């Protein structure tokens, strides 16, 4: 339910798992968290941003974390809350982003005497790195789906392409929000308080955030291009099918007119001719061939 570890220089890291905390009021009573911060932590739709309280010098960071459970047909990102105080950092997690806590804990075990902000930015870098295997998987899926669509443009493959495109839109938006948050930190007065080690770790986190945005944006654009291309192909196929059906209906109309004309119960030419049906059939075929050649010439234009 509560993970507590020492960072160094009297600083502490506390992780609160909201899935295991029955009474949310304990977060306020025991750890001094205000209701607004708790709402941030529980809001699944909260965007990445930073809040700074000048009076208490408390900074709240909301960062987008990849949801590896994939509840839908595509990946999404969920917010994770980091609260930095003078001598304490609190993370508020759940079962969907627990893997980040595990990796941060392993990082802490392999490093000694970390400052709060160095540990924070190391955690943000860990979050960015978690996106890469999934993005590589999605890029591979993109190539496989594209190859399948080249063979047969089926609904199943089109739905798979649509799910892939939707997931990449979510990841691209999450990566861009994370980058904007780091850029906000860089322009904030808080950044000037960092020492060289903290700034170096921040730069590493910024590099990973920019690289993540570039990767997701590129794949998203490729997916949009693929989707647009196959939509154009389907539209062209539909137009070709409609053109063929129109030509067939026009050709059949010629035969219907001729046979209908000679089917009238009035005196007509060749009514006494025993081989009249042959002449009518040959004339119909000649007109049908001539009309088909004319229509084919028009469609080619």
């Amino acid at each position: 339910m509560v993970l507590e570890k020492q960072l160094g220089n009297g600083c502490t890291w506390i992780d609160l798992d909201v899935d295991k905390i029955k009474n949310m009021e304990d977060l306020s009573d025991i750890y001094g968290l205000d209701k607004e911060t708790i709402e941030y932590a529980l809001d699944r739709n909260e965007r990445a941003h930073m809040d700074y309280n000048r009076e208490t010098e408390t900074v709240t960071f909301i960062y987008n974390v990849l949801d590896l459970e994939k509840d839908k047909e595509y990946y999404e990102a969920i917010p994770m809350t980091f609260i930095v105080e003078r001598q304490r950092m609190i993370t508020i997690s759940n079962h969907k982003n627990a893997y980040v806590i595990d990796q941060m804990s392993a990082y802490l075990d392999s490093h000694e005497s970390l400052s709060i902000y160095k540990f924070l930015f190391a955690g943000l870098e860990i979050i960015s790195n978690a996106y890469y295997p999934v993005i590589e998987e999605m890029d591979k899926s993109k190539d496989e789906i594209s190859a399948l669509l080249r063979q047969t443009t089926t609904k199943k493959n089109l739905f798979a392409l649509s799910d892939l495109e939707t997931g990449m839109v979510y990841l691209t938006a999450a990566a861009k929000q994370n980058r904007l948050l780091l850029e906000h930190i860089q322009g904030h007065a808080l950044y000037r308080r960092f020492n060289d080690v903290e700034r170096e770790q921040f730069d590493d986190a910024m590099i990973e955030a920019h690289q993540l945005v570039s990767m997701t944006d590129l794949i998203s654009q490729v997916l949009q291009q693929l989707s647009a291309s196959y939509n154009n192909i389907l539209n062209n196929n539909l137009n070709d099918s409609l053109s063929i059906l129109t030509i067939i209906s026009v050709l059949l109309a010629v035969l219907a007119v001729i046979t209908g004309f000679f089917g009238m119960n009035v005196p007509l030419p060749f009514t006494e001719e025993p081989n009249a049906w042959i002449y009518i059939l040959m004339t119909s075929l000649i007109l049908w061939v001539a009309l088909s050649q004319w229509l084919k010439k028009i469609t080619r234009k």
Side-chain angles (χ1 to χ4, degrees):
M1 182 174 68
V2 177
L3 173 66
E4 184 171 346
K5 288 192 174 186
Q6 297 298 318
L7 297 177
N9 299 323
C11 298
T12 307
W13 169 43
I14 300 174
D15 176 64
L16 305 176
D17 190 343
V18 294
D19 291 334
K20 299 178 181 178
I21 297 176
K22 296 180 180 179
N23 188 2
M24 291 300 168
E25 294 181 356
D26 292 343
L27 297 179
S28 178
D29 297 337
I30 300 175
Y31 299 100
L33 302 180
D34 55 40
K35 293 183 178 179
E36 185 178 5
T37 302
I38 297 174
E39 290 175 357
Y40 285 158
L42 300 179
D43 188 0
R44 181 180 174 85
N45 299 315
E46 189 68 33
R47 63 179 180 83
H49 67 280
M50 180 187 80
D51 286 330
Y52 178 66
N53 190 323
R54 293 181 180 274
E55 296 180 358
T56 61
E57 295 185 358
T58 300
V59 190
T60 302
F61 300 93
I62 309 294
Y63 209 72
N64 290 319
V65 178
L66 180 64
D67 183 1
L68 296 178
E69 293 188 358
K70 197 179 179 181
D71 296 334
K72 302 177 182 178
E73 296 299 325
Y74 46 83
Y75 288 99
E76 290 183 307
I78 56 174
M80 183 173 176
T81 304
F82 298 82
I83 304 169
V84 178
E85 300 173 347
R86 294 178 180 176
Q87 294 294 109
R88 183 177 68 172
M89 184 178 81
I90 299 176
T91 55
I92 302 179
S93 62
N94 53 46
H95 67 282
K96 290 182 178 293
N97 51 32
Y99 70 94
V100 176
I101 301 301
D102 294 337
Q103 293 181 27
M104 290 178 65
S105 180
Y107 179 87
L108 181 59
D109 292 339
S110 61
H111 294 76
E112 296 181 357
S113 187
L114 296 174
S115 68
I116 288 180
Y117 281 103
K118 177 174 173 54
F119 183 56
L120 169 66
F121 298 139
L124 300 187
E125 184 179 357
I126 288 172
I127 292 173
S128 296
N129 289 333
Y131 282 81
Y132 294 128
V134 172
I135 293 174
E136 291 174 358
E137 175 189 339
M138 295 175 71
D139 189 33
K140 184 178 179 181
S141 299
K142 168 185 65 68
D143 296 335
E144 293 175 353
I145 294 172
S146 179
L148 291 173
L149 285 171
R150 285 180 178 272
Q151 297 175 2
T152 53
T153 309
T154 62
K155 287 184 178 180
K156 180 181 178 180
N157 294 333
L158 289 174
F159 282 139
L161 179 63
S162 176
D163 291 336
L164 202 60
E165 185 179 4
T166 302
M168 190 53 66
V169 168
Y170 279 113
L171 298 191
T172 302
K176 288 182 177 180
Q177 288 179 12
N178 288 346
R179 183 193 63 185
L180 289 175
L181 169 60
L182 292 176
E183 291 175 350
H184 184 197
I185 296 174
Q186 194 172 28
H188 198 274
L190 181 67
Y191 180 79
R192 292 191 289 272
R193 301 180 188 176
F194 299 158
N195 57 39
D196 293 338
V197 175
E198 291 170 342
R199 290 189 180 185
E200 182 179 356
Q201 187 63 60
F202 174 84
D203 292 340
D204 291 341
M206 177 68 83
I207 291 171
E208 293 298 329
H210 278 282
Q211 184 176 347
L212 182 61
V213 170
S214 299
M215 289 182 64
T216 54
D217 199 31
L218 176 61
I219 297 176
S220 181
Q221 290 181 19
V222 172
L223 286 171
Q224 290 177 6
Q225 184 64 37
L226 279 175
S227 180
S229 298
Y230 284 112
N231 283 334
N232 291 333
I233 291 173
L234 290 175
N235 289 333
N236 289 335
N237 291 340
L238 178 62
N239 291 335
D240 293 341
S241 299
L242 292 176
S243 298
I244 293 172
L245 291 174
T246 302
I247 291 173
I248 292 173
S249 64
V250 170
L251 295 176
L252 292 176
V254 174
L255 300 177
V257 169
I258 295 175
T259 55
F261 179 78
F262 282 96
M264 292 188 296
N265 192 19
V266 295
L268 294 169
F270 307 114
T271 53
E272 302 297 330
E273 178 62 41
N275 296 322
W277 66 274
I278 297 177
Y279 304 144
I280 295 172
L281 181 61
M282 291 179 64
T283 303
S284 299
L285 289 175
I286 292 172
L287 289 173
W288 193 84
V289 171
L291 183 60
S292 64
Q293 294 297 323
W294 181 67
L295 290 175
K296 185 185 293 185
K297 185 177 180 181
I298 291 176
T299 54
R300 287 179 178 176
K301 293 182 179 179

